[in-house]
Amino acid sequence: MASRVQLPGDGRAIDEPWRSEIRGVLGSIADALVAVPPANAFWDSMESSILRIEVGGFHIVYRIEREHRGIRVIELQRVPR
């Protein structure tokens, strides 16, 4: 099953190089989810988990979705430097 990454509606407001970098990092995580069997306890844990990662000065809050074995970004903020 193919993985997917869903950015929030305002994700297009991010400059292309950073949007590609963010999609690439999250895509790598999503690709690894394909190896996790649907009945694995990992999915039960992820249904109630909110995850965070920093990529290129952006703070990203995301959720892993069992049904799509993908990632839905909930919040995307540029971290002030």
Side-chain angles (χ1 to χ4, degrees):
M1 174 184 292
S3 61
R4 71 183 184 109
V5 174
Q6 179 183 350
L7 293 177
D10 61 350
R12 290 186 177 90
I14 301 167
D15 294 340
E16 175 53 38
W18 292 118
R19 188 171 59 246
S20 292
E21 178 75 15
I22 290 165
R23 290 185 74 81
V25 169
L26 294 174
S28 294
I29 295 168
D31 288 345
L33 299 176
V34 176
V36 180
N40 191 292
F42 168 85
W43 295 111
D44 293 332
S45 175
M46 287 300 102
E47 285 181 346
S48 61
S49 297
I50 301 292
L51 305 160
R52 292 182 285 206
I53 193 170
E54 301 276 331
V55 177
F58 287 88
H59 176 76
I60 303 157
V61 178
Y62 65 100
R63 180 179 297 276
I64 293 176
E65 299 178 324
R66 178 196 319 227
E67 180 180 335
H68 302 289
R69 292 193 187 185
I71 292 178
R72 180 172 49 94
V73 174
I74 298 167
E75 181 180 324
L76 185 64
Q77 297 179 344
R78 179 167 241 138
V79 177
R81 293 187 181 204

